[in-house]
Amino acid sequence: MELASLILNDDGEDAADSSLTTADVLRLLEENSPSVNHVNIMFSEFTNPMPPYENFERVGRIIAQNTIVTTLVLSTGPWFVFDGHILRLLDHLCKNRSIRCLELREIGDSDGELVQSITCLEPFFEKNDELKCIVGRKLNMRQSNVISLLVTILSRRQFSVEEIQLIDCKIGDEEIQILLSAFKKHPTIGPKKICLDSNRIGDEGCRTISEYLEDKRVEIELLSLSDNSRITLTGFQHIAKALAGRRRALRKLDVSRNNFGGNLLTPFVEAFSSDPDMIPDELDLTSSTSADTQSWRIFGKLLARRRFPMTAIRLGCNSISHIDLSAFVTAFNSRPRSTPKILDL
C-alpha cells in the first residue's frame, strides 16, 4: 500500500474534510503496517486542544519502523516546532532517516520565529542522509540570520541536497550573496537544482548568481528565477554570459514572468552566438520579452545551429505576431532536425 499524502489536522469537529486526524492516521497505520511503505506527511493548522501526545508517539514509532517517508511538510505557524508532541514525532522520523523532501511553509512572519523553528530542526537536517530536497514557501527569509543559519546547518552535512526551492520567501540581493557565497565556500553542499521564484532579486543579485555559475566547481543543472520583477535586461545579460562560458550547459533555465523591459533576445543571442549548444536544453521565456521580427529570425537561426534540438522552449504570452512567428519557425527550414521537440508559443 502506498499513501500519496497524509495531512494531520486537529482532532476536533472543525477538521477539514480532506484531512486525517492523528487518530485517523494512527488507526490507518496500525491496520496496514507494515504494508504502508511510502507516505507524505503534512502538519497543518492544529488548534487547541492539541491531539493526544500518545497519538504522535505511536504514529512516529510505526512510521519510523516500517515506512519510507517521501515528503514532510511543516505548515502554518511556529507552534509545531516548539510543541513537544511534534518534536517527539520528528525524533522518531530522524531515526528512520528516510525523509527525502522537507518543506517549510508559512512559518512565523515575526522576527525570530523562523530562526527558532530552523534551530529546532537542526538535528533533523544533520541526521537525515536521505534528505535530497529542501523547499521553503512563503517564508520571511529576510529576517536576521535565517539564511546564514540555514547554510551553516547544511555545511555540517556529509551529503549534499540535490535541490533547494525558496519560493516567495522575500529573498533579495543580500540574501542571495549569503546563500551562494556559502555554496562556493562549501562546494559539496551546493545543490544541482536551485529555484528562487517569486522573490525580490534584482540586477545585483543576478551578478552574484553569474559569479556563482562561473565557478568551475559548481555543478548545477536547473536554475529558476521566474517572477522576480526587479531583474532588468542588465541582470539577465550577466546570467546569459555566465551560462555561455560554462563547461556544461544547464538542463533548464526558467526566467518566465519577468518584465525585463525590453528585447530579451538581443543579449541572449550575443551571449550564445559563439556556441549555441551552451543554451540550456529547456528554456522558459514566457511573458518575459518583446522583440521585433528581425530579432525573432536571428534567435531562430541561433537555435537551428545547435547540434542537437532543445527539449523544450516556451515563449507564450510574449505578444508574438504571425509575422514574428513565421520568421522564427522558418529559421529551422534549413535544419529541421534542430527544431525544438516542444515549442510552446
Side-chain angles (χ1 to χ4, degrees):
M1 176 180 180
E2 179 173 339
L3 300 181
S5 178
L6 288 183
I7 301 178
L8 304 187
N9 211 314
D10 64 87
D11 283 346
E13 295 180 358
D14 295 332
D17 293 339
S18 60
S19 302
L20 294 173
T21 66
T22 52
D24 294 332
V25 172
L26 181 59
R27 182 170 56 255
L28 182 63
L29 292 175
E30 288 180 332
E31 290 175 354
N32 294 281
S33 179
S35 60
V36 176
N37 51 24
H38 287 76
V39 57
N40 294 355
I41 305 174
M42 171 184 283
F43 300 110
S44 177
E45 300 179 0
F46 286 101
T47 59
N48 290 322
M50 288 290 289
Y53 176 86
E54 58 270 17
N55 283 7
F56 284 94
E57 179 79 10
R58 290 162 66 189
V59 167
R61 287 184 181 279
I62 293 173
I63 292 178
Q65 292 172 1
N66 304 302
T67 307
I68 296 175
V69 183
T70 53
T71 302
L72 175 63
V73 182
L74 305 180
S75 170
T76 314
W79 32 258
F80 59 81
V81 173
F82 307 131
D83 190 280
H85 295 61
I86 307 297
L87 283 176
R88 188 59 178 164
L89 176 54
L90 286 176
D91 183 59
H92 283 297
L93 296 178
C94 287
K95 294 175 183 177
N96 178 286
R97 297 191 181 187
S98 68
I99 298 175
R100 297 169 185 173
C101 180
L102 173 66
E103 178 174 338
L104 305 178
R105 184 186 303 173
E106 298 181 273
I107 299 175
D109 196 49
S110 62
D111 189 42
E113 290 182 349
L114 184 55
V115 171
Q116 289 176 300
S117 299
I118 294 176
T119 301
C120 288
L121 288 168
E122 184 171 349
F124 170 82
F125 280 110
E126 293 185 5
K127 293 179 181 179
N128 193 342
D129 298 340
E130 293 297 319
L131 183 64
K132 301 301 181 184
C133 178
I134 297 175
V135 180
R137 294 182 188 273
K138 295 186 177 180
L139 306 177
N140 184 6
M141 301 199 79
R142 300 204 76 170
Q143 295 180 32
S144 59
N145 300 325
V146 171
I147 291 288
S148 298
L149 176 60
L150 179 61
V151 296
T152 297
I153 293 173
L154 291 178
S155 66
R156 296 173 185 161
R157 288 174 51 85
Q158 295 181 348
F159 303 93
S160 65
V161 294
E162 295 181 358
E163 181 174 3
I164 287 184
Q165 300 181 30
L166 300 175
I167 302 170
D168 194 10
C169 290
K170 302 182 181 180
I171 292 175
D173 295 345
E174 182 179 349
E175 289 74 31
I176 288 296
Q177 176 67 43
I178 296 172
L179 182 67
L180 298 186
S181 294
F183 289 163
K184 290 178 68 174
K185 185 177 180 181
H186 305 281
T188 56
I189 70 171
K192 294 183 178 180
K193 301 176 183 179
I194 300 178
C195 177
L196 299 168
D197 294 350
S198 303
N199 282 296
R200 302 175 180 179
I201 301 169
D203 290 346
E204 191 59 35
C206 287
R207 184 186 296 275
T208 301
I209 294 171
S210 68
E211 293 172 353
Y212 177 71
L213 294 172
E214 290 169 352
D215 192 318
K216 294 181 180 179
R217 300 171 299 172
V218 172
E219 297 183 2
I220 183 171
E221 298 177 354
L222 180 150
L223 175 64
S224 184
L225 297 170
S226 177
D227 193 21
N228 280 273
S229 59
R230 301 184 184 187
I231 301 176
T232 70
L233 285 176
T234 300
F236 176 76
Q237 192 170 23
H238 291 317
I239 292 176
K241 287 182 177 180
L243 292 177
R246 288 178 56 81
R247 293 180 298 178
R248 181 180 300 175
L250 252 65
R251 185 175 61 81
K252 181 177 181 179
L253 173 66
D254 186 347
V255 289
S256 62
R257 299 192 300 279
N258 286 307
N259 184 16
F260 291 112
N263 186 346
L264 184 67
L265 302 183
T266 298
F268 192 91
V269 170
E270 290 175 352
F272 292 98
S273 59
S274 61
D275 189 359
D277 288 316
M278 289 306 298
I279 298 173
D281 190 47
E282 296 183 40
L283 182 64
D284 195 338
L285 303 178
T286 302
S287 302
S288 290
T289 187
S290 58
D292 55 32
T293 303
Q294 180 65 8
S295 295
W296 283 109
R297 181 179 293 108
I298 295 174
F299 182 54
K301 289 182 177 180
L302 176 69
L303 300 185
R305 287 170 47 204
R306 287 172 56 96
R307 289 178 298 173
F308 303 99
M310 295 175 63
T311 298
I313 180 168
R314 293 177 171 83
L315 303 168
C317 301
N318 280 314
S319 301
I320 304 176
S321 68
H322 291 295
I323 297 176
D324 297 338
L325 179 59
S326 177
F328 175 73
V329 173
T330 55
F332 295 95
N333 287 347
S334 60
R335 296 191 65 189
R337 292 183 179 181
S338 297
T339 305
K341 297 177 181 178
I342 298 176
L343 186 56
D344 184 358
L345 301 174

